[in-house]
Amino acid sequence: MSSQPALTAANLLDELQATLMHGTVARRVETLRRVTDLYLDGEVDYSDDQVTVFDDVFNCLVRNIECNAKVLLAQRLAQVKAPPRIIHHLAFEDMIEIAAPVLSHSEQLDDAALIANARTKSQRHMLAISTRRSLSGAVTDVLVELGSQDVVHSTVRNPGAEFSDSGYSTLVKRAELDEALATELSRRAIPRAQVLKMIALASASVREKLKAANPDAAAEVSSAVKTATRLARSAPAAISRQTNIAHGLVRALYEEGRINEEQIYIFANERKFDELNQAIACLAGTSVETAEALMVESRDEGLLILAKVCKLSWSTVKAIIRMRDELTSAKSGDLEECRFTYERLRTSTAQQVLRFHRMQQSTAVAKPPAACAAGGMGPSPPGA
């Protein structure tokens, strides 16, 4: 039971009406201050009905007060469990000095309200949202899609911000033209699939710039960029602790004979990118870095080569393609055409192509990363 005296909407609204009809500006502001004080003095004890009364009063007052008083009201209500309608009203004010405290701090705003605000208000509103203590992937999807450079950087720097696969893909694309953003992203533990895509995009961009500047040295440029790309993929900063753990667990399962096509299909359906690449690397007898490169940097051809070496069925290959496309926002070609190509591809041809990739890697890197198998193929998956 509330410890505060019972409040009635009629009494408060009668007093409010008299103030608005006959009171001076100073009287209006004083009434707002007293109502705010009354609410803040006992807000944890008010019942839902009493909070609704305060909501009615606040919403009546804000339509008839000056901006400075609204700023003060927003600052005071942003930090507490305030009545929901007044918080929504303040958050959608055009004047950023009013909206910002609420957008940055109020826990009364749900994802739907934050997304609507980001889509309909200004970049400064989005910047305020980007500083919240926590941000869901649904909200950051909108911020990184529609936000200015300042908004995107602020969102990425926020340790409480979560990002969906789609959000990371958008960030990676923006980082291609924004070196500072790429640096900010490198400080986050972003999914391995997005790390690889960022490296691939950056490498492609560098390659094109160097070729344009040195048209007579195109072959040398491509070779140098490929070598730098391989080194970047295997650099400790590009491999998170979570990725290392996933790789280690899969290698242990492989050594126990528990990695087969069925397990690869499960990894694909569960969108376990790191586990999938390591499992394919083990079955194909190559390094995980080669498997990742063929998975992300090529379109479908590299994936089909790996799958054919592992003797995977088309249903498993299709699941892998869908997982890869979802995680990296890639766009595969026609699946029927892919299936036709896969069925025509000979295992011996796929093995030859993979050997070429192994040779390239060992030539470019003085100490190539350890593979699950030193050479030929691992055991064929049961039932493949």
Side-chain angles (χ1 to χ4, degrees), residues 342-360:
Y342 186 67
E343 290 175 351
R344 290 183 61 198
L345 179 64
R346 293 181 179 182
T347 302
S348 59
T349 302
Q351 289 171 334
Q352 187 176 0
V353 172
L354 190 56
R355 279 196 295 272
F356 174 74
H357 279 281
R358 287 199 204 101
M359 183 181 66
Q360 275 194 320

Side-chain angles (χ1 to χ4, degrees), residues 20-40:
L20 296 178
M21 289 179 63
H22 307 296
T24 62
V25 171
R27 174 78 181 277
R28 294 176 188 173
V29 173
E30 175 61 19
T31 300
L32 177 64
R33 185 192 66 77
R34 288 197 300 110
V35 172
T36 307
D37 286 345
L38 181 61
Y39 180 78
L40 294 179

Side-chain angles (χ1 to χ4, degrees), residues 60-79:
C60 191
L61 274 170
V62 294
R63 291 197 295 268
N64 296 275
I65 63 171
E66 289 63 34
C67 289
N68 288 341
K70 288 186 181 181
V71 171
L72 182 59
L73 178 64
Q75 292 171 346
R76 298 187 71 187
L77 294 185
Q79 305 288 347

Side-chain angles (χ1 to χ4, degrees), residues 200-273:
L201 285 173
S203 299
S205 176
V206 169
R207 184 182 296 112
E208 291 308 310
K209 289 177 182 177
L210 290 176
K211 282 183 178 179
N214 304 275
D216 296 331
E220 289 83 353
V221 165
S222 292
S223 177
V225 171
K226 284 179 181 178
T227 300
T229 299
R230 292 190 189 96
L231 292 172
R233 282 198 307 265
S234 58
I239 305 175
S240 69
R241 181 171 178 271
Q242 183 177 0
T243 294
N244 276 326
I245 291 173
H247 288 172
L249 288 173
V250 172
R251 284 195 297 269
L253 290 174
Y254 175 76
E255 289 167 4
E256 295 172 5
R258 295 165 59 187
I259 292 298
N260 52 29
E261 176 167 4
E262 180 182 0
Q263 188 59 63
I264 285 179
Y265 186 83
I266 291 171
F267 286 152
N269 274 349
E270 294 180 352
R271 297 164 66 244
K272 293 186 175 180
F273 181 83

Side-chain angles (χ1 to χ4, degrees), residues 1 38 154 161 164 194-195 202 292 297 328 368 373 375:
M1 189 71 181
L38 181 61
S154 176
S164 68
Q194 302 302 336
V195 172
E292 289 175 336
E297 293 177 19
T328 64

Side-chain angles (χ1 to χ4, degrees), residues 5-269:
L7 299 174
T8 66
N11 290 343
L12 280 176
L13 293 177
D14 282 348
E15 179 182 344
L16 178 64
Q17 184 176 351
T19 299
L20 296 178
M21 289 179 63
H22 307 296
T24 62
V25 171
R27 174 78 181 277
R28 294 176 188 173
V29 173
E30 175 61 19
T31 300
L32 177 64
R33 185 192 66 77
R34 288 197 300 110
V35 172
T36 307
D37 286 345
L38 181 61
Y39 180 78
L40 294 179
D41 285 345
E43 53 98 10
V44 295
D45 293 323
Y46 287 126
S47 67
D48 290 344
D49 287 344
Q50 290 170 334
V51 171
T52 300
V53 171
F54 275 109
D55 219 350
D56 290 338
V57 171
F58 281 129
N59 277 281
C60 191
L61 274 170
V62 294
R63 291 197 295 268
N64 296 275
I65 63 171
E66 289 63 34
C67 289
N68 288 341
K70 288 186 181 181
V71 171
L72 182 59
L73 178 64
Q75 292 171 346
R76 298 187 71 187
L77 294 185
Q79 305 288 347
V80 301
K81 187 178 179 180
R85 285 189 294 117
I86 185 59
I87 283 295
H88 188 277
H89 178 100
L90 295 170
F92 281 79
E93 283 276 358
D94 289 335
M95 186 175 174
I96 192 61
E97 290 78 6
I98 299 171
V102 174
L103 292 172
S104 294
H105 301 291
S106 179
E107 296 185 2
Q108 299 301 97
L109 295 171
D110 60 16
D111 282 0
L114 293 171
I115 290 170
N117 193 285
R119 290 193 178 280
T120 59
K121 307 304 288 187
S122 72
Q123 290 291 329
R124 297 179 72 187
H125 286 70
M126 280 194 275
L127 187 60
I129 293 172
S130 74
T131 65
R132 290 175 67 84
R133 183 173 59 85
S134 62
L135 290 167
S136 71
V139 175
T140 58
D141 275 354
V142 180
L143 295 180
V144 301
E145 177 192 358
L146 302 179
S148 65
Q149 186 179 55
D150 287 343
V151 170
V152 173
H153 282 237
S154 176
T155 305
V156 172
R157 286 194 299 267
N158 186 341
E162 298 176 354
F163 296 93
S164 68
D165 294 326
S166 173
Y168 273 124
S169 292
T170 302
L171 286 171
V172 167
K173 289 175 184 175
R174 295 188 69 149
E176 185 182 359
L177 303 175
D178 186 340
E179 187 175 338
L181 177 58
T183 301
E184 293 290 350
L185 278 173
S186 70
R187 297 191 179 110
R188 294 190 68 100
I190 71 175
R192 179 70 172 165
Q194 302 302 336
V195 172
L196 297 174
K197 185 175 181 182
M198 186 163 63
I199 291 172
L201 285 173
S203 299
S205 176
V206 169
R207 184 182 296 112
E208 291 308 310
K209 289 177 182 177
L210 290 176
K211 282 183 178 179
N214 304 275
D216 296 331
E220 289 83 353
V221 165
S222 292
S223 177
V225 171
K226 284 179 181 178
T227 300
T229 299
R230 292 190 189 96
L231 292 172
R233 282 198 307 265
S234 58
I239 305 175
S240 69
R241 181 171 178 271
Q242 183 177 0
T243 294
N244 276 326
I245 291 173
H247 288 172
L249 288 173
V250 172
R251 284 195 297 269
L253 290 174
Y254 175 76
E255 289 167 4
E256 295 172 5
R258 295 165 59 187
I259 292 298
N260 52 29
E261 176 167 4
E262 180 182 0
Q263 188 59 63
I264 285 179
Y265 186 83
I266 291 171
F267 286 152
N269 274 349

